[in-house]
Amino acid sequence: MTIAIVGGTGPEGSGLALRWAQAGETIIIGSRDAQRALETASKISEKVGTDKKLSGTENRFACSDAEIVVLTVPFAAHAETLKHIKPSLRAGQILVDTTVPLAASVGGKPTRTLGVWQGSAAQQAAEFVPDGVTVVAAFHHLAADLLQQQGPIDCDVIVCSDDKNAGKRVRELARKIPGVRALDGGRLENARIVEQITAVLIGLNIRHKGQSGLRITGLPDEAFKN
Amino acid sequence: MTIAIVGGTGPEGSGLALRWAQAGETIIIGSRDAQRALETASKISEKVGTDKKLSGTENRFACSDAEIVVLTVPFAAHAETLKHIKPSLRAGQILVDTTVPLAASVGGKPTRTLGVWQGSAAQQAAEFVPDGVTVVAAFHHLAADLLQQQGPIDCDVIVCSDDKNAGKRVRELARKIPGVRALDGGRLENARIVEQITAVLIGLNIRHKGQSGLRITGLPDEAFKN
């Protein structure tokens, strides 16, 4: 499986790339600047200890070779990036949207969110992608700093999608990150709540100097297995 | 400390009443129907094993004798109940709002929420209460069925308030429920996200037949102590 990380030079994108490269996935780091993408790919290769499965290129090129495209850009660049990569997207691909519409995108607080016309960043993404590309919302609550470090991450990933099969594939991808459990969060429309939880976690981080995440309790083990 | 539970005959309100009565607090069960309030108070007394600290009465009367008023009515009854109890509220009291504006209130799905003009149910409550009454949003994520049972509850309570002292008192109240940790969720405006998380938990409960709650990870121990 080849995974393109659009905005892969940022802290969240490069953190996910590191974890998935460590798990043996083939990763293409995408960036607006191909040179920076290559540099990030090279840095991650050093950490992982092999350069066979990591490459870096411009965002649009990164998308054309991938089965799964993971979007990890700030919300301010969300629509613009989607328009830019759209010609490289094709039916059958999964676009994983990790974006949170923080008010910080427009100079506001990172503990507040913007109202997105479509309901959520992920639903905005769904409006941009070509027919046949499935949008899945996930990975909103994993602290970038923790992804960059070694060791398991004490956080669950809630995955929202209108396509059950695509959701399942992304949950399997989430479980490749040590410590992470993945849950079916239902339809893509639920991303409008799941995305916003990040703003609460950011507030807790500011108040308590932490790198907060969340665990869901009270569900049977099977909920974390399919 | 005397705690009035408005809507205290419902599953959430009577569950909180049970837990706080067990912890030694003085509880007044409030209901639109005084007779039902008395019956619920009597049932809880049986479980707790003493009737000294539990009473039941009409909602408005319940509020007048309490230092803390806990509102546990469905969102459909939220504004109406606040208007009704307003004459009994007085400066210095804390109103704890546990309400979640689920779309089910108007015949929609329990996994969806309504847009509330003020931003959240708690902010709507803040508009209704007399000057000097402090609104605190909390207890949205504790499953009523778990409150009704014995045993610790595997869930954190996120407390939002514009009054630091009132928030602290409510966090102390939350910690009287075995298993519960309480966190400062910041200002009351953050209730607009915290309330909505319940709709995600309800979706998980439906999909996975559970009684979900949440735990916040990645914060220092002190975050749960003040």
Side-chain angles (χ1 to χ4, degrees):
Chain A
M1 193 160 60
T2 302
I3 304 165
I5 318 250
V6 172
T9 59
E12 187 80 11
S14 61
L16 289 168
L18 170 65
R19 297 305 188 125
W20 287 326
Q22 284 173 329
E25 302 296 327
T26 303
I27 308 290
I28 310 170
I29 298 287
S31 172
R32 280 178 303 181
D33 178 341
Q35 185 56 38
R36 288 193 58 219
L38 280 166
E39 284 165 18
T40 299
S42 162
K43 275 184 205 159
I44 297 172
S45 290
E46 270 177 48
K47 284 197 201 177
V48 180
T50 164
D51 58 359
K52 284 184 189 153
K53 292 182 161 178
L54 270 149
S55 58
T57 183
E58 196 278 334
N59 278 328
R60 195 183 281 179
F61 293 116
C63 293
S64 40
D65 289 331
E67 293 158 81
I68 296 185
V69 173
V70 182
L71 188 60
T72 63
V73 296
F75 184 67
H78 188 257
E80 184 192 340
T81 304
L82 283 161
K83 281 181 207 164
H84 176 72
I85 63 171
K86 186 173 178 177
S88 299
L89 298 177
R90 59 177 192 282
Q93 283 180 319
I94 294 172
L95 181 103
V96 181
D97 197 345
T98 73
T99 312
V100 176
L102 297 177
S105 316
V106 294
K109 294 187 182 185
T111 56
R112 291 176 171 171
T113 57
L114 297 172
V116 179
W117 188 269
Q118 297 86 344
S120 60
Q123 288 167 291
Q124 175 167 286
E127 216 177 75
F128 278 110
V129 297
D131 284 353
V133 175
T134 305
V135 175
V136 178
F139 305 110
H140 311 91
H141 310 139
L142 297 179
D145 284 353
L146 298 181
L147 285 170
Q148 303 277 355
Q149 294 166 20
Q150 298 297 326
I153 297 185
D154 190 7
C155 189
D156 292 340
V157 166
I158 302 174
V159 177
C160 301
S161 178
D162 293 336
D163 182 308
K164 280 181 186 292
N165 200 39
K168 195 166 192 295
R169 284 186 69 188
V170 174
R171 290 196 293 281
E172 286 162 4
L173 198 57
R175 292 180 189 128
K176 291 181 188 284
I177 303 170
V180 166
R181 301 186 306 176
L183 271 168
D184 179 3
R187 295 182 71 88
L188 195 67
E189 65 176 35
N190 296 346
R192 67 182 74 189
I193 304 176
V194 173
E195 289 174 4
Q196 305 217 3
I197 297 172
T198 304
V200 173
L201 297 179
I202 290 172
L204 291 169
N205 291 347
I206 294 171
R207 268 188 299 287
H208 301 298
K209 297 185 175 52
Q211 285 164 331
S212 60
L214 60 85
R215 291 291 196 189
I216 302 294
T217 62
L219 296 178
D221 288 348
E222 300 86 78
F224 301 95
K225 286 180 185 160
N226 55 32
Chain B
M1 192 161 63
T2 302
I3 304 164
I5 317 248
V6 172
T9 58
E12 189 79 11
S14 61
L16 289 169
L18 170 66
R19 297 304 190 127
W20 287 326
Q22 283 173 330
E25 302 297 328
T26 303
I27 307 290
I28 310 170
I29 298 287
S31 172
R32 282 179 301 181
D33 178 342
Q35 185 56 37
R36 288 193 57 218
L38 281 166
E39 285 164 16
T40 297
S42 161
K43 275 184 205 160
I44 297 172
S45 291
E46 270 177 47
K47 285 197 201 179
V48 180
T50 165
D51 60 357
K52 283 182 190 153
K53 294 183 159 178
L54 269 149
S55 58
T57 182
E58 197 278 334
N59 279 327
R60 196 184 279 179
F61 294 116
C63 294
S64 40
D65 289 331
E67 294 158 81
I68 296 186
V69 173
V70 182
L71 187 59
T72 64
V73 297
F75 184 68
H78 187 258
E80 185 193 339
T81 304
L82 283 159
K83 282 181 207 165
H84 176 72
I85 63 172
K86 186 174 180 178
S88 298
L89 299 176
R90 59 176 192 282
Q93 283 179 319
I94 294 172
L95 182 103
V96 181
D97 197 345
T98 72
T99 311
V100 176
L102 297 177
S105 317
V106 294
K109 294 187 183 186
T111 57
R112 291 176 172 171
T113 57
L114 297 172
V116 179
W117 188 268
Q118 298 87 342
S120 61
Q123 288 167 291
Q124 174 166 284
E127 217 177 72
F128 278 110
V129 297
D131 284 353
V133 175
T134 304
V135 174
V136 178
F139 304 110
H140 311 92
H141 310 139
L142 297 177
D145 284 352
L146 298 181
L147 285 169
Q148 302 278 355
Q149 295 165 19
Q150 299 297 326
I153 297 185
D154 190 6
C155 190
D156 291 341
V157 166
I158 302 174
V159 177
C160 301
S161 178
D162 292 335
D163 182 306
K164 280 181 186 290
N165 201 39
K168 194 166 192 295
R169 284 184 70 187
V170 174
R171 290 197 293 280
E172 286 161 3
L173 197 58
R175 292 180 188 126
K176 290 180 189 284
I177 302 170
V180 166
R181 302 185 307 177
L183 272 168
D184 179 2
R187 294 182 72 88
L188 195 67
E189 64 176 36
N190 297 345
R192 67 182 75 190
I193 303 176
V194 173
E195 290 175 2
Q196 304 218 2
I197 298 172
T198 304
V200 173
L201 297 179
I202 290 172
L204 292 169
N205 290 347
I206 293 171
R207 266 188 301 288
H208 300 297
K209 297 185 174 52
Q211 283 163 332
S212 60
L214 59 86
R215 291 290 197 191
I216 302 294
T217 62
L219 296 179
D221 287 348
E222 301 85 79
F224 301 95
K225 285 178 186 161
N226 56 32

